[in-house]
Amino acid sequence: MFEAKLQQGVIFKKIVDAIKDLVKSVNIDASTSGLSMQAMDSAHVALVSLKLNENGFKDYRCDRPITLGLSIENLSKILKCAGNDDTITLQTDEEEPSSLKFFFENQQASKISEFSLNLMSLDSESLGIPDTDYSSVIQMSSAEFSRICKELSSISETVEIETSKESVKFSVQGDIGAGSITVKNNQSDKDVDRVDLQIDQPVKLTFALRYLNMFNKAVSLSSTVSLNMSEENPLMVEYKIDDLGSLRFYLAPKISD
Amino acid sequence: LRSQLHIENYYRLE
């Protein structure tokens, strides 16, 4: 028996919205400790990793580990039928399920919707990501990071991110010209202005803005985002989801030919 | 010119 009930179903809707442009189908692994998912985009440039802890669910039960292979597009179609204030319950009682049941219930418990989503058998292409001590970690407003990426993507396809002890600089160079946005360390009380820089070693890395813009679809999951970088390593962009877990995106850098 | 690397260049398949 597997059953997971989310009090704030809207979080699940937002997670699926955030990844649906990046990945088409995923294996969700359910275990006693919670749900996890890892998937690469079709070009194998980026990777998304989701971890939801059992403690963050209103009810959670998973008697034995199961893998749920599903189409994100089809999942998204079903989740459109859930209201933003609804609870969402995922359920299956089969050992090797061919479908996953969904229950959506509104706050007054006056409306209950029930759906079943056909599951797929997908090759598992899980990558081992070691725990990494990143040499530059930036925590800032997710909305502000999203804005910077969006603005710069009209000038260039790539952005160079350069950190120093005091600031992080986002630079672009395109056909029409060049520019940069520098964000300084700022210990403001307001989330929107706050910028935390933990720089052990400065880094200078270049990334495709198209992917960063896709990651930023997760902006509504968390008011802050953390950018984790080490020289010659993928960027890890993390959105923490309150008590529930985290959504991480990894992006391979671009290198000079 | 810059080349886009693949994520598998960094993390191994499990």
Side-chain angles (χ1 to χ4, degrees), chain B residues 2-14:
Chain B
R2 288 180 178 275
S3 301
Q4 177 65 64
L5 290 177
H6 286 172
I7 202 85
E8 292 117 316
N9 286 102
Y10 300 95
Y11 305 127
R12 254 181 286 163
L13 275 168
E14 279 191 326

Side-chain angles (χ1 to χ4, degrees), chain A residues 173-240:
Chain A
Q173 211 158 3
D175 295 339
I176 64 158
S180 71
I181 297 174
T182 300
V183 178
K184 291 183 184 169
N185 198 13
N186 182 350
Q187 299 303 311
S188 167
D189 291 337
K190 280 197 251 166
D191 263 2
V192 69
D193 297 329
R194 193 176 170 91
V195 179
D196 265 321
L197 301 174
Q198 292 166 44
I199 314 296
D200 291 332
Q201 289 285 328
V203 298
K204 187 154 83 170
L205 289 160
T206 301
F207 300 102
L209 279 160
R210 190 170 81 84
Y211 283 93
L212 297 178
N213 285 330
M214 280 197 263
F215 302 168
N216 285 326
K217 299 258 163 72
V219 66
S220 62
L221 280 170
S222 174
S223 60
T224 59
V225 63
S226 80
L227 313 175
N228 301 263
M229 291 179 289
S230 290
E231 250 346 292
E232 295 177 14
N233 262 294
L235 161 73
M236 190 268 274
V237 180
E238 182 179 50
Y239 296 86
K240 288 220 166 83

Side-chain angles (χ1 to χ4, degrees), chain A:
Chain A
M1 170 87 180
F2 162 70
E3 186 174 274
K5 181 174 184 176
L6 262 182
Q7 184 63 41
Q8 285 182 274
V10 67
I11 294 176
F12 198 56
K13 284 168 67 101
K14 286 177 179 175
I15 291 169
V16 173
D17 270 346
I19 64 172
K20 76 174 193 305
D21 292 340
L22 197 64
V23 292
K24 296 291 160 220
S25 50
V26 299
N27 275 330
I28 294 181
D29 293 309
S31 71
T32 49
S33 59
L35 300 182
S36 65
M37 179 276 277
Q38 193 198 88
M40 280 184 274
D41 77 299
S42 58
H44 290 202
V45 166
L47 183 141
V48 51
S49 168
L50 173 71
K51 285 199 167 73
L52 304 177
N53 312 314
E54 48 131 356
N55 296 333
F57 290 87
K58 186 162 193 289
D59 298 310
Y60 189 88
R61 179 180 164 185
C62 184
D63 297 341
R64 56 178 62 82
I66 51 167
T67 298
L68 308 163
L70 34 88
S71 145
I72 291 290
E73 191 185 348
N74 295 343
L75 174 61
S76 175
K77 284 177 189 169
I78 284 181
L79 291 178
K80 285 222 162 58
C81 303
N84 282 346
D85 297 326
D86 288 1
T87 64
I88 293 182
T89 304
L90 317 180
Q91 192 196 80
T92 178
D93 40 26
E94 295 166 65
E95 261 184 54
E96 286 179 28
S98 57
S99 67
L100 180 66
K101 282 185 199 149
F102 289 81
F103 300 93
F104 309 143
E105 192 175 350
N106 69 359
Q107 291 300 312
Q108 304 78 33
S110 61
K111 181 181 168 191
I112 297 160
S113 313
E114 184 179 341
F115 294 91
S116 119
L117 174 65
N118 295 333
L119 297 177
M120 311 151 72
S121 177
L122 300 168
D123 286 339
S124 183
E125 285 187 314
S126 197
L127 296 180
I129 302 171
D131 279 336
T132 309
D133 286 327
Y134 290 93
S135 55
S136 288
V137 178
I138 299 140
Q139 192 162 341
M140 64 187 291
S141 151
S142 58
E144 182 61 16
F145 177 60
S146 171
R147 218 173 81 145
I148 290 171
C149 293
K150 215 168 160 188
E151 287 169 355
L152 295 181
S153 60
S154 61
I155 300 166
S156 170
E157 287 179 4
T158 61
V159 61
E160 181 188 86
I161 307 180
E162 185 178 6
T163 63
S164 71
K165 291 275 179 204
E166 301 81 29
S167 65
V168 53
K169 187 175 177 185
F170 302 89
S171 310
V172 288
Q173 211 158 3
D175 295 339
I176 64 158
S180 71
I181 297 174
T182 300
V183 178
K184 291 183 184 169
N185 198 13
N186 182 350
Q187 299 303 311
S188 167
D189 291 337
K190 280 197 251 166
D191 263 2
V192 69
D193 297 329
R194 193 176 170 91
V195 179
D196 265 321
L197 301 174
Q198 292 166 44
I199 314 296
D200 291 332
Q201 289 285 328
V203 298
K204 187 154 83 170
L205 289 160
T206 301
F207 300 102
L209 279 160
R210 190 170 81 84
Y211 283 93
L212 297 178
N213 285 330
M214 280 197 263
F215 302 168
N216 285 326
K217 299 258 163 72
V219 66
S220 62
L221 280 170
S222 174
S223 60
T224 59
V225 63
S226 80
L227 313 175
N228 301 263
M229 291 179 289
S230 290
E231 250 346 292
E232 295 177 14
N233 262 294
L235 161 73
M236 190 268 274
V237 180
E238 182 179 50
Y239 296 86
K240 288 220 166 83
I241 312 169
D242 289 335
D243 304 328
L244 193 58
S246 67
L247 181 62
R248 291 177 172 183
F249 298 97
Y250 295 82
L251 178 60
K254 285 193 165 243
I255 55 159
S256 296
D257 278 336

